[in-house]
Each structure stands twice: as structure tokens, then as C-alpha cells.
Amino acid sequence: MDNAIKVKRLPRDPGLSGWNALLEAPPPPRVCEENITADWLVIGAGFAGLAAARRLSQLRASERIVLLDAVRVGTGPAGRNAGFMIDLPHDISAEGYAGGLEKDQRQIAMNRAAIGFAREAVEEHGLPREAFDPAGKINAATTEQGQRQNESFAAHLGRLGEDHRLLDADAMRNITGSEFFCGGIFAPGTVMIQPALFVRGMADGLVRGGVELFEESPVTGLERLGPDWRATTPQGSVTAPRVVLTVNGHANSFGLFERRLMHIFTYASLTRALSDSEVRTLGGEPRWGATPSHAQGTTVRRISGTGGDRILIRNRFTYDASMEVGQRRMATVARGHDRSFAARFPMLADVTMEHRWGGRLCLSRNGVPAFGEQKPGLFSACCQNGVGIAKGTLSGMLAAELAGGGNHPMVADMLAFEEPERLPAEPFASLGANAYLRWKTWRAGVEF
Ligand SMILES: Cc1cc2nc3c(=O)[nH]c(=O)nc-3n(C[C@H](O)[C@H](O)[C@H](O)COP(=O)(O)OP(=O)(O)OC[C@H]3O[C@@H](n4cnc5c(N)ncnc54)[C@H](O)[C@@H]3O)c2cc1C
């Protein structure tokens, strides 16, 4: 990366996030229209950026902290995911999520540190239960193969000493109302968030605490000027000696970690609100979340709250090196979501999808974050490997510790990760990754 860089690409988020659509429209954004001098600049107001700004505001309470995002808070990936803030190992590139014992123990400790940090903020800002619900989650199986994967995951959880409960098909039906699932594992540590409500609430809390948030203010250039960095936006600039870059895969657009980050999209659809009689026909519990036993399968979530009773379907991963997806892809995915919904909820044949969207993830080939001081005064907390609610929160918080002189012991864990591994050149990276993802999806079979 150069000392004067032109940002190559700005984020483009396909479709409107249903989570955001369920909430009231926010007041107009504050856009960066002046030339500001600050002590700290955080670029990107997703989980990592919000956590970094919060931790900086604790460590450097009297200093001026500016947080910029290209879009409105809640409309980027942080407001368009499925909402599972997962404490347990969840390697989405593996089939059964689990890794080695010691590695997983460390990951669990890190995820729980993130959840604890988020919980403190939720309490301080007075966010409602719907924004952050420590309800646990199910790993749902729909095939014998899925059951076997669940059994081996349960054994792994046993070895880790982690609380979990096996569910048979009847128990699954009692919870979900669906006959489609043949079993599941319930584990209590996951927090279910309403992503847009959560990130908007976090941002509002930060602003009340003195952080200056500018939305719809994309950074188009970042340049070193003596001891400072100057970030340029279309109508203004922010100059600060220390910058924390929390843009996930868009680190590449800033010239960082080039050919080391994989840009993956995944997709969600949210039904219209169910009527009272549809809720009765469905049965089951009003709120639950199920990730698939096979990582490439379908995530399903039942919600009940702002916006009524609805069901969310999430599946498909595609590798898009351009960091954009088009309408044709969205239409194909939508047909797949409808099939996944119909297979699970045949009793809701008249229920249609009201919102559909996609969003970016960032993975590295070796599953490590893109974390640390990349240039003097320029810190990165990027590449959350698909589970960015917990990992993004932690990496943002720890980047603030590293940059702001905190002494959190997990900074050393983050710095101990190796560098993100290099990818093959294009088009081989895209061809290989998409063939691999299609194969994984085929392996997921009916889980899909
Ligand atoms: C459909 C879907 C379901 C998912 N489900 C889950 C789940 O259940 N659990 C889970 O843990 N994860 C899930 N994820 C992944 C999760 O959303 C991401 O990993 C997470 O959002 C990453 O957090 P982050 O803060 O690192 O980056 P982001 O949330 O991507 O935030 C980065 C921000 O940087 C901003 N930005 C980029 N470039 C610029 C620029 N030039 N100038 C200013 N701002 C810029 C972007 O607008 C964005 O708001 C899902 C994702 C999708 C799409």
C-alpha cells in the first residue's frame, strides 16, 4: 500500500435489508461536509468499527473520535446478516464447523469476550431485548448425513466441556412447527440480534457519548501527510494521526492485503408478516434460530416482534472478486430461497417473501483475520471469516486496544495469527472458489 491511495471501489449492497425495512426510517444522516481535524478516525461503521469507536471512547475519553461510513448505519453487511452472534466455533468453510480442541477453546474465549463487550454496550445504551437476545441457537439437521455431522459436533462440544442438548425430530417440530428437521443440537451461548436495530442502537449510543458519526460519507482517498493521515470524502476530509480501518473485505479497495482476501456473498429472504391464523397453523415457538448442520446448508430464523411474525431464510455462498453481484444472481437465489422455504413450511404455501437481499463476507484462505498496524498510525481490523458479529466486534475492540494503548491480553492472540494466505491469480481464484462452493452446496444436499 502506498502513502497516497485512491480507494478503488466503494461498497455496493444488493437489495434492501429486511431488518432495516422493519424499523422506522432514521433521521437524515450527518454527512461529512467540512475539513475536520481529529485525534482518531475509524473508517467503517459495521461491528468492527462500532466496537473500535466504543473502546477508543473508553480508553481516550477526552479525545476527538470520528467514525465514517459510506452508507447509512444498518444498511451495510452489519445490518443485513442473519443475526447469530455465535460463541462456539463456527468455521463456515468446514463441513461441521469444528476445528482442533485447543484452537476452538481459544476461539470460544474470544467470541465470548466479544459478546461480553457487546452486552455491556447494550446495557449502557438501553437497547431492547429484541436487539440482543441471549436465546441460544440450534444446529439443525435435515438428513442422516446432517445428523451424523451433528453427532460428531456434539461429541466435540462434549470434549470442549460445552453445554448442549440433543433434540430429536419431535422436539424440533415442537420448536419450529416444521416436520422437515430430523434432529438438532441446542447450545445456549449464541446471542440472537436484530442486526439493524443492534447497530443503529450502538451508533446512537456512541453519538450520545461524543463520537462524531458521519454517514453517506465514503472515503475515496487516504493519504499520509507528515505525522497524520488525511481521509478524503466527496464533500470533506478528516485528518487524524491514527486511523482504524474496519471495512472488512474493502481493505483490498484501500490497497491492503491484495490477493489475500476472498470476497463471498451470501443471501437472505424475509417473509411478509404472518397472519394470526398462519401463526396458529405453523405452531412452534415464536422466536428461534437454526443454523444448518452442514455449513453450506440453509439457516432459518423465526422472529416475532417489530414487524410482526416472520421467517428468514439464508443460503448460498458465491465468490465475487468484483465485490458486486447483479440482478440475475439475485433472481436465481430468490428462486432457491422459495424452494427452501416451501420444503420446510408447506403449511405456509400462501406466504410470500417481502424482502430479499445479499451481502458481503470476507474470508482468508487460512481462516485468519487481517489485523494489526499496517503502516505507522494505520490499523486494520478486517476479514472476519464469515462470522463477523462476534469476530468483528472483537477485532474492532482489540484494534482500539492496540492503537490506543490498552493492555487487553487478547491483542497478543490476534497478533499471533499468521498473515492471510496468498490466493491464486484471477481468473483461477474465482473459478476454483466457485467450483468448490458449488461442490460444497451439492454435498449439503437436501440441507439446502
Ligand atoms: C445474509 C448474511 C447473513 C449473515 N449472517 C451472519 C450471522 O448470522 N452471524 C455472523 O456472525 N455473521 C453473519 N454474516 C456476516 C457478517 O454480516 C459480516 O461478517 C460482518 O458484517 C462483518 O463486520 P465488519 O464490521 O467487519 O464489516 P461490515 O459489517 O462489512 O462493515 C464495514 C463497513 O465499512 C463501510 N465501508 C466500506 N468501504 C468504505 C469506504 N471507502 N468509506 C467508508 N466506509 C466504507 C461499509 O459501508 C460497511 O458499513 C452474514 C452476512 C450476510 C450478508
Side-chain angles (χ1 to χ4, degrees), residues 256-325:
L256 289 175
F257 305 101
E258 282 181 301
R259 301 241 328 262
R260 289 176 190 274
L261 303 181
M262 297 191 279
H263 305 298
I264 307 281
F265 275 75
T266 187
Y267 307 84
S269 295
L270 185 65
T271 66
R272 64 163 169 76
L274 308 184
S275 67
D276 290 347
S277 81
E278 286 163 343
V279 168
R280 279 194 300 278
T281 305
L282 171 62
E285 295 178 5
R287 280 175 291 278
W288 51 267
T291 48
S293 60
H294 189 295
Q296 267 67 31
T298 298
T299 294
V300 189
R301 198 171 157 185
R302 164 94 152 84
I303 59 169
S304 179
T306 308
D309 292 88
R310 297 174 188 249
I311 293 173
L312 175 127
I313 296 284
R314 187 222 47 87
N315 63 36
R316 277 295 296 275
F317 291 108
T318 58
Y319 182 98
D320 298 281
S322 66
M323 303 186 78
E324 286 186 25
V325 298

Side-chain angles (χ1 to χ4, degrees), residues 15 24 39 41 71-72 111 141 153 156 166 204 217 268 284 302 330 360 388 431 433:
E24 275 182 28
D39 297 297
L41 170 62
V71 300
R72 296 303 308 268
N111 293 345
F153 191 48
H156 185 64
L166 285 170
D204 290 347
S217 303
R302 164 94 152 84
M330 293 298 287
R360 293 179 304 281
L431 288 171

Side-chain angles (χ1 to χ4, degrees), residues 192-203:
M192 302 300 296
I193 66 166
Q194 202 288 26
L197 188 60
F198 175 83
V199 291
R200 281 207 216 168
M202 287 290 176

Side-chain angles (χ1 to χ4, degrees), residues 7 9-11 13 43-49 68-72 76-86 217-220 246-250 254 265-268 291 299 314 357-362 381-393 395:
V7 175
R9 280 173 301 209
L10 294 178
D13 303 300
I43 306 176
F47 298 107
L68 290 183
D69 202 294
V71 300
R72 296 303 308 268
R80 52 178 57 230
N81 50 72
F84 292 69
M85 191 171 202
I86 302 175
S217 303
V219 173
T220 53
T246 53
V247 293
N248 210 12
H250 272 285
F254 285 75
F265 275 75
T266 187
Y267 307 84
T291 48
T299 294
R314 187 222 47 87
W357 66 96
R360 293 179 304 281
L361 311 175
C362 176
C382 300
C383 190
Q384 322 304 357
N385 288 292
V387 277
I389 306 180
K391 288 188 177 178
T393 299
S395 71

